[in-house]
Amino acid sequence: MKNLSFVTSFYLSEYYGMENLKPLYFCIFLIVYLTIIAENVALIEVVYHEKSLHEPMYVLLCNLAANELYGGTALLPALLINILSSSHEISLSFCQTQIYAIHTYAITEFTILAVMSYDRYVAICYPLSYHAIMSQRIVKLIAFMWIYPMLAFLIVLIFTLQLPYCGRTIEKVYCINYLLVRLACTDTSLVNIIGLLSVVVYTIPQLVMIFYSYTHILRICILSFSKSKFKALRTCTPHLLAIIKYSFGCFFEIANGRFDNKHMAYHTKLFMSLYFLIFPPLLNPVIYGLSSQILRSRLVRFLCRKKLSSLQKRDELQRDINTLCCCTLSEVKRGVKGAETESCMGKGWCLVPFISSRRKLAV
């Protein structure tokens, strides 16, 4: 279908409530974005540098942190720019790009959480075979949880890209697919049906995997009554919290978009629309870091090691400066070549040749 659209940009109407407090909102969202980057990068860096954490569970956790960075970047830089903008407009191409990024983040997040539930299922139900099973499947699982969402949503987005648009107002602070479809000039029944079917395809397999995994985990723990099994079950706590938190965010987004929300306060609508894009990236590293004793201890050790390394570099720099200072100007003028001057020359920092060359040029 040929695109007959004459609309080249859209107006994001939900920025109206920020007009009087633009600097405050900008600072809040900037701090949130920097915190998301710092937390998730620190988590990835700790797992990467600590060889004892090179296990399937922590590799999957790194992928979750990478997706949090992807989701935060899909929203917050554009949000910060639009807060400072006076028009609050977004181009058609950028709107479509943001739709792809936000939706693929959401699907990938749920897929990673489903794969992590499978990892816990294998670890608790088949502890002796865990490393053998996961080492064979981890690469395939990682490829699946990134490639599947990217390709699956691309099929839906292709239908949206072919629509001509007549409306220009998007009642949100970011672009989302179903709101863009509403602005189309033509009949969107087919696109709406494909969108509903895609929601089923994107969620049902992950839900089945999560429920299957935790049903078997609970059954094994109840039947065995083993202390080690219940200790292993505690490793599922941060994962369950992540699933519950993300499910609340998805529910808020569905409720905010599908039901009449005109009676809601502005800040309530803003909170509900941003929850699943801000709070999982912000809280997941904290939840996993505080809940996992191994990860917490490795993080503290890693930070101490980096601090010690920086102090050692500072001490070395101070020693080099002190050595450099042994070649005083008075010694250079007198041509002193004592032990201290020789030590400076050994480092190539002595000022004697430099001054001498300048004297020759002056003559």
Side-chain angles (χ1 to χ4, degrees):
M1 184 186 296
K2 187 178 179 180
N3 195 338
L4 301 174
S5 174
F6 293 99
V7 175
T8 58
S9 64
F10 298 97
Y11 171 65
L12 300 172
S13 63
E14 291 303 298
Y15 284 97
Y16 75 89
M18 303 182 188
E19 289 295 331
N20 297 328
L21 295 171
K22 277 186 177 182
L24 177 62
Y25 281 105
F26 182 84
C27 291
I28 290 172
F29 287 118
L30 180 62
I31 292 169
V32 167
Y33 185 46
L34 294 177
T35 305
I36 288 171
I37 293 173
E39 289 178 349
N40 288 283
V41 168
L43 182 61
I44 294 171
E45 195 173 358
V46 169
V47 175
Y48 176 77
H49 287 286
E50 292 290 337
K51 291 184 178 180
S52 60
L53 298 178
H54 292 179
E55 297 182 3
M57 181 177 73
Y58 297 107
V59 172
L60 294 174
L61 184 57
C62 277
N63 281 268
L64 184 67
N67 191 54
E68 311 295 16
L69 290 171
Y70 173 55
T73 304
L75 169 71
L76 288 167
L79 186 71
L80 293 170
I81 292 170
N82 282 316
I83 288 174
L84 297 179
S85 171
S86 57
S87 61
H88 308 310
E89 287 192 1
I90 185 170
S91 66
L92 174 60
S93 58
F94 190 85
C95 182
Q96 292 166 341
T97 303
Q98 190 178 52
I99 286 172
Y100 182 76
I102 288 174
H103 283 77
T104 49
Y105 153 75
I107 302 166
T108 304
E109 184 86 357
F110 202 33
T111 307
I112 293 174
L113 291 173
V115 173
M116 291 176 78
S117 68
Y118 173 75
D119 170 76
R120 292 298 82 206
Y121 159 71
V122 176
I124 293 173
C125 298
Y126 303 97
L128 299 178
S129 309
Y130 169 70
H131 287 284
I133 294 171
M134 291 304 296
S135 60
Q136 293 176 356
R137 300 179 182 178
I138 187 67
V139 176
K140 295 178 181 178
L141 290 170
I142 291 173
F144 167 76
M145 64 195 192
W146 285 102
I147 296 173
Y148 164 70
M150 301 294 173
L151 294 179
F153 184 72
L154 185 61
I155 297 170
V156 177
L157 186 62
I158 288 172
F159 288 92
T160 304
L161 295 178
Q162 296 178 10
L163 295 173
Y165 306 107
C166 295
R168 292 191 67 246
T169 302
I170 296 176
E171 297 178 354
K172 229 173 181 60
V173 294
Y174 56 88
C175 288
I176 200 163
N177 192 58
Y178 73 88
L179 289 180
L180 189 61
V181 171
R182 284 184 183 179
L183 302 179
C185 303
T186 57
D187 181 39
T188 59
S189 300
L190 177 61
V191 180
N192 289 329
I193 292 170
I194 293 171
L196 290 173
L197 290 175
S198 67
V199 172
V200 176
V201 173
Y202 301 153
T203 56
I204 295 301
Q206 290 91 326
L207 286 172
V208 169
M209 184 179 288
I210 291 169
F211 281 114
Y212 177 84
S213 299
Y214 278 103
T215 300
H216 282 270
I217 288 171
L218 289 173
R219 184 176 63 85
I220 290 293
C221 292
I222 291 171
L223 292 176
S224 65
F225 285 104
S226 171
K227 185 180 289 185
S228 61
K229 293 291 183 184
F230 282 101
K231 185 178 180 180
L233 184 62
R234 284 202 298 271
T235 63
C236 301
T237 303
H239 181 250
L240 286 171
L241 289 174
I243 291 174
I244 293 169
K245 177 165 43 62
Y246 184 69
S247 299
F248 272 115
C250 292
F251 172 76
F252 287 157
E253 174 57 29
I254 293 169
N256 192 36
R258 298 302 193 274
F259 302 107
D260 183 19
N261 58 8
K262 292 180 180 179
H263 63 282
M264 287 185 185
Y266 172 79
H267 292 94
T268 305
K269 289 192 292 184
L270 185 66
F271 173 82
M272 291 177 68
S273 65
L274 295 177
Y275 182 93
F276 86 105
L277 287 166
I278 288 181
F279 283 91
L282 192 64
L283 297 180
N284 279 344
V286 177
I287 290 172
Y288 277 95
L290 294 177
S291 301
S292 173
Q293 185 177 356
I294 296 174
L295 187 60
R296 189 168 63 249
S297 61
R298 295 295 185 279
L299 177 61
V300 172
R301 191 172 72 179
F302 177 76
L303 292 175
C304 291
R305 191 186 303 163
K306 289 200 75 172
K307 185 176 180 180
L308 181 62
S309 176
S310 65
L311 288 174
Q312 288 175 345
K313 287 181 180 178
R314 191 182 69 180
D315 291 341
E316 289 176 3
L317 180 62
Q318 187 64 43
R319 285 198 298 270
D320 292 339
I321 292 172
N322 292 338
T323 306
L324 176 61
C325 291
C326 73
C327 292
T328 62
L329 186 60
S330 59
E331 289 175 337
V332 171
K333 288 180 178 179
R334 293 197 307 270
V336 176
K337 296 184 179 179
E340 290 183 347
T341 308
E342 289 176 0
S343 68
C344 293
M345 292 177 67
K347 292 185 177 290
W349 291 335
C350 187
L351 301 177
V352 173
F354 176 71
I355 300 295
S356 300
S357 62
R358 291 193 66 178
R359 284 179 178 174
K360 288 178 182 179
L361 288 173
V363 172

